[in-house]
Amino acid sequence: MGSLVTDLSLAEAPSSVTPQRRLVVAMNNVSKVFSNGTLALKGMSLDVRGGEFISLLGPSGCGKSTALRIIAGLGAASSGSIDWPSSKINSHGLPEGDVGFVFQEPTLMPWETVFGNVHLPLKLRGVRKAEARDKVMENLTSVGLADFADAYPRELSGGMKMRVSIARALVTRPKLLLMDEPFAALDEITRQKLNDDVLTLWQQTGITVIFVTHSVYESAYLSSRIVVMRARPGQVFTDLEIAQPAVRDGAYRVSEFYRANCQKVSDALQSAIQSAES
Amino acid sequence: MTDLKASAEKGTDSAVAVLLPRMSSNEKVMQVVVPLVALALGIAAWQWIVTANGIPKYILPGPGDAAVALFTDSSTLWPALWVTLRITVMALAIALVGGVTLAIIIVQSKWLELALSPFTVILQVTPIIAIAPLILIYAPDTQSALMICAFLVAFFPILSNMVQGLKSVDHNLLNLFELYGANGWQTLLYLKIPASMPYFMAGLRIAGGLSLIAAVVAEFAAGSAGQGSGLAFRLLESQYRLNLPRMFAALIMLCGTGIAIYGLTSFVSWLVLHRWHESAIRREN
């Protein structure tokens, strides 16, 4: 694991600097029209650089989930392109094993154990159970579920299922982690706990995260950059760099610094909503 | 990576695994004892009615007479049971293989499903007893005709349940498989087939009972007779001869076979589903 525990400088430096970081993925003027004629996304361009924690924030219908799915290769863009400058591209036009996805629901296979669920991405590449054991257990440990490897999803609480889902997304060691409102259905206490856990994983692995949310507070807590989107048609409204302190914890949640960040994000979101209405 | 575990679970719902309710041992015993006692009481009542009213054997034999017939007529009844059982099991086995295979083929293409739908519907809604005479004409011998009838009846619950199951896969899981570049075989093997198991098991339990019924009904329709006939013929034969104890013995055999099939299919269903599916898990409020 040593090689991946890199870039701890991320935690110290405010992440608004170092614009020269390598490009992980770039959306170029991407539009998406659904089969019923709805223009879900209009001319979205987004450069995602290594180590960023980007939140896509916006009201419902702003195309934030659609954008995430297009990046993941679930549903093609109607126009525009997605470029992966530093990845090996497979036959589907997707980066080989470089993307992990966490859905809004845990999306676990109920007939498989926790171990079996986390093993799945490796199994689909032909890695057998015995060979995958170390990797799977390592990821389960990192989300605090090593003791539950043999449990079935129905025996777990909502928060634990989400952790399994995160472990599964990380088991292929992706460069980019896509999260689609992953904690929207959880209670506030569990959600805060998981926010902290995701931050810790991000800081320790140096992974790039794109996080879809409709919560101002969640995005202001987690992100190094927030892309605020507006609806009808879904498009980028504004792109905010967020300065974050080295340590984010309970004290940060009640600090003036955090409040100011929230204010800034909230104002941007309000403008985005008003611009869609006018 | 760090071990978040120590801090991760404090004060969140992550700390609590859901405990599965367990039955107490007392309750388990009662679950077996109560139906058995009720059954024994029913049989005793039957015997009492027969004895108290002096009903002759050729009108209503008591359970004792039926039990005696089960032994004295064993040389005719057991081979007949074997014939019926063989037809039932073989028909069910072919229906399983055929139903599952056709379901997998059908769900590959919407057009194929549409094209095949008139045939499946026609065969399903036509009462099998009505086409039995036709099958008897075309089939090489009575045994295979009976098997075709039983097969047709058992086939559709499996096919329609399996098709429904294969189509009821969680869309997010399908997306997940797509995301990880799973090929068609992997998606079928690791996702669609496991996800359809609850549906398949429901179909299996229905088909198991139906194939026995169809094997008996088809034999009535076929009117097969003599050596190598099944239990349906022995029932008719005992009716002609007013040999009611033997008739009851044959009915007990059929009933026992039905129970055995139901028990076996339920057990298989439990084996496959009890770890994960809601239907096999006790609810506790």
Side-chain angles (χ1 to χ4, degrees):
Chain A
M1 202 67 239
S3 64
L4 275 177
V5 185
T6 53
D7 236 0
L8 279 170
S9 58
L10 267 179
E12 282 116 43
S15 33
S16 55
V17 293
T18 59
Q20 293 87 353
R21 271 206 213 98
R22 74 192 153 77
L23 208 54
V24 174
V25 61
M27 298 178 82
N28 299 314
N29 207 20
V30 170
S31 295
K32 172 79 180 179
V33 184
F34 284 133
S35 54
N36 63 9
T38 312
L39 180 58
L41 207 57
K42 185 186 163 195
M44 179 167 179
S45 294
L46 182 71
D47 285 353
V48 180
R49 296 189 178 273
E52 281 190 303
F53 196 122
I54 299 181
S55 284
L56 301 183
L57 175 72
S60 56
C62 72
K64 52 195 193 299
S65 287
T66 309
L68 200 71
R69 281 163 182 266
I70 290 174
I71 294 174
L74 298 169
S78 305
S79 66
S81 65
I82 309 281
D83 293 330
W84 302 89
S86 52
S87 299
K88 204 171 73 192
I89 303 297
N90 69 11
S91 56
H92 296 81
L94 291 173
E96 191 75 53
D98 274 352
V99 177
F101 200 105
V102 178
F103 293 88
Q104 192 167 357
E105 285 95 39
T107 314
L108 304 176
M109 299 177 290
W111 55 87
E112 285 280 10
T113 58
V114 166
F115 183 95
N117 272 288
V118 177
H119 176 214
L120 178 77
L122 298 173
K123 183 158 87 175
L124 292 174
R125 293 183 185 177
V127 184
R128 263 181 253 110
K129 210 171 178 173
E131 304 166 46
R133 179 163 298 279
D134 288 349
K135 251 187 188 175
V136 172
M137 288 314 291
E138 189 181 282
N139 279 280
L140 280 176
T141 307
S142 75
V143 296
L145 286 176
D147 294 342
F148 291 90
D150 296 326
Y152 283 80
R154 72 170 313 283
E155 298 168 77
L156 306 181
S157 64
M160 290 165 100
K161 283 182 198 161
M162 223 27 171
R163 287 167 194 275
V164 177
S165 191
I166 293 169
R168 178 181 62 194
L170 293 175
V171 78
T172 57
R173 308 256 169 93
K175 286 184 198 158
L176 180 63
L177 179 62
L178 305 174
M179 306 182 89
D180 187 3
E181 297 190 36
F183 310 139
L186 298 176
D187 64 88
E188 186 62 24
I189 302 166
T190 307
R191 174 196 268 229
Q192 284 191 10
K193 190 68 235 166
L194 283 171
N195 279 343
D196 286 337
D197 291 350
V198 167
L199 263 187
T200 311
L201 285 171
W202 171 71
Q203 286 170 339
Q204 300 212 326
T205 59
I207 193 172
T208 310
V209 181
I210 305 180
F211 191 98
V212 166
T213 180
H214 53 235
S215 163
V216 167
Y217 309 103
E218 191 168 58
S219 61
Y221 187 70
L222 293 172
S223 322
S224 60
R225 189 176 150 202
I226 298 178
V227 176
V228 180
M229 298 180 69
R230 48 160 287 183
R232 286 180 298 275
Q235 59 191 141
V236 174
F237 180 74
T238 177
D239 197 332
L240 303 169
E241 292 283 345
I242 304 291
Q244 298 282 13
V247 180
R248 281 171 252 178
D249 54 14
Y252 174 58
R253 277 187 191 280
V254 292
S255 68
E256 171 59 25
F257 190 30
Y258 176 59
R259 196 205 60 77
N261 272 344
C262 289
Q263 177 91 57
K264 185 168 140 194
V265 177
S266 184
D267 289 347
L269 183 61
Q270 281 308 318
S271 313
I273 291 169
Q274 272 155 18
S275 84
E277 279 164 358
S278 58
Chain B
M1 283 187 199
T2 43
D3 187 6
L4 293 173
K5 200 186 149 197
S7 64
E9 287 164 27
K10 232 177 277 169
T12 73
D13 72 339
S14 290
V16 206
V18 180
L19 289 175
L20 296 181
R22 291 251 160 74
M23 244 188 263
S24 71
S25 60
N26 206 1
E27 202 178 344
K28 265 184 197 157
V29 172
M30 292 310 277
Q31 278 222 316
V32 180
V33 167
V34 170
L36 282 182
V37 167
L39 183 66
L41 284 176
I43 292 171
W46 172 15
Q47 182 70 60
W48 179 79
I49 290 168
V50 171
T51 322
N53 298 316
I55 301 174
K57 248 198 237 183
Y58 53 85
I59 293 176
L60 178 64
D65 300 320
V68 169
L70 212 50
F71 284 101
T72 54
D73 298 343
S74 60
S75 60
T76 49
L77 288 180
W78 287 103
L81 173 66
W82 173 241
V83 170
T84 302
L85 197 59
R86 206 178 53 201
I87 291 170
T88 307
V89 170
M90 284 180 77
L92 184 61
I94 300 171
L96 280 182
V97 176
V100 170
T101 311
L102 190 60
I104 289 172
I105 294 170
I106 278 181
V107 294
Q108 303 304 318
S109 142
K110 204 171 78 182
W111 297 113
L112 197 62
E113 187 183 2
L114 280 174
L116 284 174
S117 63
F119 303 102
T120 54
V121 170
I122 287 171
L123 277 173
Q124 189 173 15
V125 298
T126 311
I128 212 65
I129 194 79
I131 50 170
L134 195 65
I135 295 171
L136 278 164
I137 293 173
Y138 293 141
D141 54 74
T142 315
Q143 297 290 304
S144 32
L146 299 184
M147 204 146 77
I148 293 170
C149 287
F151 158 75
L152 284 175
V153 171
F155 178 68
F156 288 102
I158 293 173
L159 176 71
S160 56
N161 274 283
M162 196 65 193
V163 167
Q164 189 68 28
L166 288 171
K167 292 204 287 191
S168 304
V169 180
D170 182 352
H171 286 190
N172 278 330
L173 278 173
L174 283 171
N175 281 338
L176 184 80
F177 271 66
E178 193 188 328
L179 193 81
Y180 285 115
N183 61 36
W185 274 114
Q186 288 175 321
T187 310
L188 182 69
L189 220 58
Y190 299 142
L191 177 60
K192 290 187 176 174
I193 287 181
S196 61
M197 273 304 120
Y199 294 84
F200 169 76
M201 288 301 162
L204 175 66
R205 283 203 286 189
I206 299 168
L210 280 183
S211 57
L212 177 64
I213 294 172
V216 172
V217 171
E219 202 184 0
F220 280 149
S224 63
Q227 284 296 313
S229 296
L231 272 177
F233 164 67
R234 295 297 166 194
L235 280 170
L236 287 177
E237 187 197 41
S238 334
Q239 183 200 7
Y240 297 143
R241 295 183 183 176
L242 274 185
N243 188 347
L244 284 228
R246 184 192 283 188
M247 202 165 168
F248 271 87
L251 285 175
I252 289 169
M253 277 182 157
L254 278 178
C255 176
T257 309
I259 291 171
I261 290 172
Y262 180 80
L264 195 66
T265 49
S266 299
F267 179 65
V268 170
S269 169
W270 178 83
L271 270 188
V272 174
L273 301 180
H274 77 283
R275 291 309 302 267
W276 65 274
H277 195 252
E278 303 296 336
S279 69
I281 290 162
R282 259 169 65 85
R283 195 163 138 267
E284 194 167 58
N285 285 328

